[in-house]
Amino acid sequence: MYIKRAMEETITRVSDMFPVLLLTGPRQVGKTTLLQKLARADRTYVTLDDPDVRYLAKRDPALFLQRYTPPILIDEVQYAPELFPYIKMYADTAKRKGDIWMTGSQAFHLMEDVSESLAGRVGILTLVGLSDAELYGYESEPFSLEPERLMKRMNTVPKRSLGEVYGRIFRGAMPELWAEKAVDWETYYRSYVNTYLQRDIRGLAQVADEMDFYHFMTAAAAHTSKPVIYEELANAANISAPTAKKWLSILVSSHIVVLVQPYYNNVLKRVVKMPRMHFLDTGLAAYLLKWGNPEILEKGAMSGAFFESFVFSEIYKSFLNQGKEPPVFYYRDKDQKEIDLLLYQNGILTPIEVKKAASPGRTAVKNFKALEPVKEPEKFAGVSQLKTEVGTGGVICMAKDVLPLDEKNWCVPVWLI
């Protein structure tokens, strides 16, 4: 069963803008299925997973493009970077938009090759796992806390209980797990991890032992929604801190995790500058940490961390699916004051707290006061040019309705994202 993806219109729009479209993202999130669904009958499909086709692409890329003439969809293009200069020449000669579509999973090498060879000729989009909007069939739009938007969505988005939310968090975001409910969750993720380790990680010189990297992935999953301290990760995985930093960059490039950078403004003097880590697929994190079912996860020690990473991933996807760079940051200072998520758009900061509670109360937004200096920098030995507006804030939680916490902040049900 095909699940309609929120990125369909974005792909069509970007394909009409560039000669080449590259759809990247983690393995098995549906990149090929999506592009095949959108492709017209005259677009040839070819995969570089086929060793004979890959050999031709690497050995004689010019002949490859003669054999498989555009419009074309090239799957797993990272296996033959030799194609890129010839794709560039074709694009410059043919001057037709959307002639060449490509998918790629191994972003760590792929993006560097594409940036060098196809600058200005390629539209790059990132597809990750399923969002709630895709699963439950309602409109996907970039997240905001505008009251009008929230009230409008109240009429279209189905309400969900705590058990239903954690069922979603536990099952994860992989399309196959939702399209085919009979697929065994544990078997699926075991196969997914093995494929990732054997096909993507094995080819990297800096990873000598796949099992060491597996243990590192597990340590990283245990740190989801936490600030990144490389020494802690290294100790948990029994590797060195420089290796932990290098391996974490691989997880980021693979779109397994996202590092959220701290929001910084010169008037905020005591900001901690370490990034914060979130697993994009909470199902994968649950598998790595051996959580047995949604009920155990909901009652367990990492219940809040998984809830926060899920909220982050939903907000993050809402921007990616529209072809936008997610404007996400977080705040933490040396006094241990934290704001889980900050959206920074059009000169406006939107502070967001994430709480599993059903009635978080006004104390949930007390740390928003840490942003006071950016509103009036002159009072805090800053200059007026540093002034930033702080907009409507909110607490995303298990509330049953959209309710005001005070004159500036809202309590927002998690299912309304």
Side-chain angles (χ1 to χ4, degrees), residues 145-152 392 402 410:
L145 283 172
E146 290 302 317
E148 296 81 5
R149 171 187 174 272
L150 296 175
M151 297 304 178
K152 181 181 176 183
T392 301
V402 177
W410 290 82

Side-chain angles (χ1 to χ4, degrees), residues 216 219 229-245:
F216 172 75
I229 301 173
Y230 291 106
E231 289 77 11
E232 284 186 7
L233 275 175
N235 290 337
N238 198 27
I239 56 177
S240 69
T243 299
K245 188 171 186 179

Side-chain angles (χ1 to χ4, degrees), residues 26 128 196 216-217 220-221 223-225 228 233 247-260 276-281 284-285 288 312 316:
V128 292
Y196 176 66
F216 172 75
M217 286 180 69
H223 285 76
T224 191
S225 86
V228 175
L233 275 175
W247 286 4
L248 189 59
S249 73
I250 293 173
L251 292 181
V252 171
S253 297
S254 307
H255 307 289
I256 301 291
V257 306
V258 173
L259 295 186
V260 185
R276 193 173 197 153
M277 177 174 60
H278 288 287
F279 258 67
L280 273 179
D281 186 348
L284 174 59
L288 289 167
F312 168 82
Y316 189 80

